[in-house]
Amino acid sequence: MGKISAQQQRNRANNSGGVAPDAQVIATTLAIALHRIHRRGDSEEVRLRKTVTFLTWWMAHSLLDIEGIQHLPRLVRTTGNADCQANSLRPMRVNNVTWIEFAMAYPTKEGEIYLWQPVPDAFNALFTEALPSGSSSPLLSKKHHEALCADLRAKWKTLGKLASHARVRKDRLFRYWMNMGQSDPKLSTLAKSVMLPMYQDHHRHAKAYQRESSDKLRFAIFEAHNRYLKRLLDAIRLHGLKGYFPFEFKLSVTRPKYLMQTGSISQLTRVQQNGTYVHTPTEPISVGSDRALSIDEVRQFYHCLSDAVHEAQCTRWTHSSLRYYYNLRTYQIAFQFLILTGVRPTHAISIEASQCFDARYAMVRDKGRYRTIWLCDFFSHALKEYLAVQHIVCMHLSITPKSKMLWYLLDENLKAQNLTAKNLRTAMASFSSEPNVVPYQLRHSFAQMALTARFPALSTQHIDRLMGHSEFGEQLGREQAFPASHKVLHAHLNQIPSLLGLDSPETFRGSLLNCDPLTKEAHYAQSPVNG
């Protein structure tokens, strides 16, 4: 396999829907690790705390840098009312059930913020037993901490009783949570940006288009951790590895009430009131971009544009009124194209006539290469109506504009003028009631609608496909290999027009065909539409 083919294969494997690591070899290597991190003189308490420290570092991706393990700080046990800090754990006792949470970093515009993340179900009993009592104390002494770091960096020999089971190198074990997160189609891009180590999220710019609260992300990561751990537990049971683990994984657990809600998990803070303790949820933070317009803002913009198109209709047309009306229809179809496809308004503002196929799908040039976009039923009909109007307008004006694009403006000399990003910015400012709104925000709104879609719900791979986010080798042959995926995406796209309240494309062919001869020119004020 050549370098290019190998790189394409790695990119596809790292993408959502890629191949997950073999659970059996990871489980075997985990059993070896849980034996090799202990020393002969360790007490049962020290063994438990070493195990908890190792598992926490493992979930938090602190072990990816083998050489940096010796510099890892000690984990500290804190109380329920303490602020979340790096390398800390805390017990939360709610509804007479104790649950352990560890610190996880959330990337924000102001920098990293640490928030509490519940441990998976199978780890909670072990963590609860291992955490020391006291308000704030390290899990391990300096001596035991240094011994653990040294054992994690040392070579691990396979246990004699596990010699018949396949295993992997320790670095493959340390990357398990990262590899699972990268290939998980159920985990959103923003959840991956929190759960994965920095610079390891697959599509690095995809997270700049969406926005989610920390409570929703906490729930998504908690569910993901439980799924990834269940794979290992199933492999342990299937391959008879249970006896090689120094502790028992307990899946049948009773969760506290705050972990039983669907869709979000609040971060609780312990507050003392009237001589007792109560747990109050803290205000969640928002992660991601805030550039997406709300549904109401998008609706208002398109309603204003539609009203302008209706007001531009005349009973007696002139060259100026006809050109003004046609340019309005051009802006209308262009802005509908942006919100219904999510293309970048700085790259693909119109479609080349040779790259549009039956008004159902098209090829647009995006960052130096072509990619396929689907045109929903609404836009397909709207495009056909626009092309009919374009033909009638050109017939009345006795012109044959030359442009390879499907839609274009007419300048004062009735020459074809291709749309530009500057044209769109000026037009959007004139039709929007919100200040400083730019067309690129429609792409953010498109991504946010895809993230929050539920019927059908879109996987991370679906959203990446709609947005044109792909690494080298991922953009080829998807529709042919996965036609069912095409149906899901088309069903989602067909719902957007009704969600935004877009007006059904009306035909004015009859009024234009039967209109009176063009009359004396009327004066139109200078505007972004008529130039």
Side-chain angles (χ1 to χ4, degrees):
M1 181 183 296
K3 288 185 178 180
I4 293 179
S5 297
Q7 183 61 46
Q8 290 176 338
Q9 186 181 54
R10 283 193 294 271
N11 289 337
R12 289 191 293 270
N14 289 339
N15 194 7
S16 296
V19 180
D22 187 344
Q24 182 267 315
V25 296
I26 297 296
T28 302
T29 310
L30 177 61
I32 296 172
L34 294 178
H35 282 276
R36 295 305 181 192
I37 62 175
H38 303 305
R39 298 194 174 182
R40 184 171 299 178
D42 290 344
S43 64
E44 185 62 27
E45 179 181 329
V46 171
R47 286 175 174 269
L48 281 174
R49 295 182 182 181
K50 279 188 175 182
T51 300
V52 165
T53 301
F54 165 70
L55 294 177
T56 303
W57 284 345
W58 187 36
M59 287 189 296
H61 311 291
S62 300
L63 304 176
L64 296 181
D65 181 13
I66 300 294
E67 297 302 322
I69 291 177
Q70 59 183 340
H71 303 296
L72 288 176
R74 288 185 287 174
L75 297 182
V76 177
R77 185 256 199 216
T78 62
T79 58
N81 58 356
D83 293 335
C84 187
Q85 302 291 337
N87 305 298
S88 57
L89 300 99
R90 71 167 184 177
M92 287 297 295
R93 186 165 182 82
V94 181
N95 307 122
N96 294 323
V97 180
T98 300
W99 207 272
I100 308 303
E101 299 178 337
F102 67 99
M104 178 169 282
Y106 281 66
T108 66
K109 293 180 180 179
E110 294 76 23
E112 283 190 342
I113 295 178
Y114 284 90
L115 300 177
W116 294 111
Q117 178 66 39
V119 300
D121 292 339
F123 285 168
N124 187 61
L126 174 70
F127 276 57
T128 302
E129 184 180 358
L131 252 62
S133 59
S135 58
S136 180
S137 56
L139 265 67
L140 293 172
S141 65
K142 184 176 180 180
K143 173 184 175 182
H144 290 136
H145 173 80
E146 292 175 351
L148 174 61
C149 293
D151 291 336
L152 287 174
R153 296 181 66 243
K155 291 184 178 180
W156 295 343
K157 292 184 178 179
T158 303
L159 301 175
K161 50 191 176 181
L162 287 174
S164 60
H165 296 272
R167 58 161 291 184
V168 292
R169 298 180 313 188
K170 67 168 67 174
D171 60 323
R172 293 268 309 271
L173 170 69
F174 295 162
R175 293 200 304 268
Y176 173 73
W177 299 91
M178 182 187 74
N179 292 337
M180 286 298 301
Q182 287 178 328
S183 61
D184 190 350
K186 297 182 180 180
L187 203 62
S188 69
T189 299
L190 290 174
K192 291 184 181 187
S193 71
V194 174
M195 197 188 82
L196 298 179
M198 191 175 295
Y199 309 119
Q200 289 295 332
D201 40 346
H202 188 54
H203 300 308
R204 291 173 292 279
H205 304 295
K207 60 188 177 184
Y209 291 94
Q210 301 169 3
R211 185 179 183 88
E212 284 188 279
S213 71
S214 57
D215 288 356
K216 291 185 177 180
L217 296 177
R218 186 178 295 107
F219 174 82
I221 295 172
F222 181 63
E223 292 295 307
H225 281 166
N226 281 315
R227 289 198 304 273
Y228 307 160
L229 196 53
K230 186 178 183 302
R231 291 183 73 250
L232 298 183
L233 300 185
D234 291 342
I236 291 171
R237 184 182 65 255
L238 181 63
H239 296 278
L241 299 174
K242 185 176 180 180
Y244 302 119
F245 283 83
F247 60 88
E248 181 181 359
F249 294 102
K250 297 179 181 179
L251 278 181
S252 299
V253 297
T254 302
R255 293 181 181 178
K257 186 176 180 180
Y258 80 104
L259 294 181
M260 298 177 67
Q261 301 176 3
T262 301
S264 66
I265 295 177
S266 299
Q267 176 173 274
L268 302 180
T269 299
R270 194 180 70 185
V271 180
Q272 189 172 8
Q273 290 183 357
N274 300 325
T276 186
Y277 289 109
V278 296
H279 296 90
T280 60
T282 59
E283 186 70 22
I285 66 171
S286 294
V287 178
S289 170
D290 57 358
R291 296 193 67 198
L293 301 174
S294 68
I295 298 297
D296 290 338
E297 291 172 334
V298 177
R299 285 174 180 165
Q300 185 177 12
F301 167 73
Y302 281 95
H303 287 168
C304 291
L305 183 56
S306 179
D307 290 342
V309 171
H310 285 287
E311 292 173 1
Q313 298 178 46
C314 298
T315 56
R316 299 181 66 84
W317 296 93
T318 66
H319 282 79
S320 294
S321 63
L322 200 57
R323 184 172 73 90
Y324 179 79
Y325 172 75
Y326 167 77
N327 285 347
L328 272 176
R329 290 293 295 265
T330 301
Y331 279 112
Q332 184 182 42
I333 197 71
F335 280 115
Q336 288 176 349
F337 176 66
L338 295 181
I339 196 60
L340 296 176
T341 61
V343 296
R344 293 177 176 88
T346 53
H347 291 72
I349 300 173
S350 182
I351 305 175
E352 294 183 22
S354 61
Q355 300 297 330
C356 184
F357 309 98
D358 193 31
R360 293 293 177 182
Y361 62 98
M363 300 285 289
V364 295
R365 194 161 183 82
D366 192 355
K367 287 196 171 181
R369 65 187 181 195
Y370 281 101
R371 72 178 178 96
T372 305
I373 58 172
W374 293 290
L375 307 179
C376 67
D377 296 341
F378 174 93
F379 185 80
S380 178
H381 181 49
L383 178 58
K384 292 175 182 178
E385 291 296 331
Y386 167 82
L387 293 177
V389 169
Q390 183 187 80
H391 174 73
I392 296 170
V393 169
C394 292
M395 181 183 65
H396 277 294
L397 295 176
S398 301
I399 59 175
T400 55
K402 295 181 180 180
S403 177
K404 62 180 180 179
M405 298 300 179
L406 285 179
W407 54 84
Y408 48 82
L409 300 172
L410 292 177
D411 62 14
E412 293 181 351
N413 299 319
L414 301 183
K415 302 294 184 182
Q417 178 185 2
N418 291 334
L419 281 170
T420 64
K422 183 178 180 180
N423 293 147
L424 290 180
R425 285 197 300 270
T426 305
M428 190 169 188
S430 64
F431 292 114
S432 177
S433 60
E434 299 293 330
N436 304 320
V437 176
V438 295
Y440 213 99
Q441 290 179 263
L442 296 177
R443 177 169 165 83
H444 288 259
S445 302
F446 179 84
Q448 191 66 22
M449 287 188 292
L451 176 66
T452 57
R454 290 296 174 263
F455 304 102
L458 302 183
S459 68
T460 308
Q461 186 185 33
H462 287 147
I463 299 176
D464 287 338
R465 178 65 186 85
L466 288 175
M467 298 296 294
H469 294 142
S470 62
E471 298 290 345
F472 180 58
E474 290 180 1
Q475 76 280 7
L476 305 175
R478 285 191 181 180
E479 292 73 50
Q480 289 72 22
F482 305 106
S485 178
H486 181 189
K487 294 180 180 179
V488 173
L489 294 177
H490 203 70
H492 166 70
L493 293 175
N494 279 336
Q495 293 179 354
I496 298 179
S498 59
L499 175 65
L500 299 180
L502 299 183
D503 290 341
S504 298
E506 299 179 8
T507 175
F508 301 101
R509 304 180 199 179
S511 61
L512 289 174
L513 281 171
N514 300 322
C515 69
D516 296 332
L518 299 181
T519 59
K520 187 177 180 180
E521 294 293 327
H523 175 71
Y524 275 78
Q526 190 79 4
S527 73
V529 177
N530 62 11

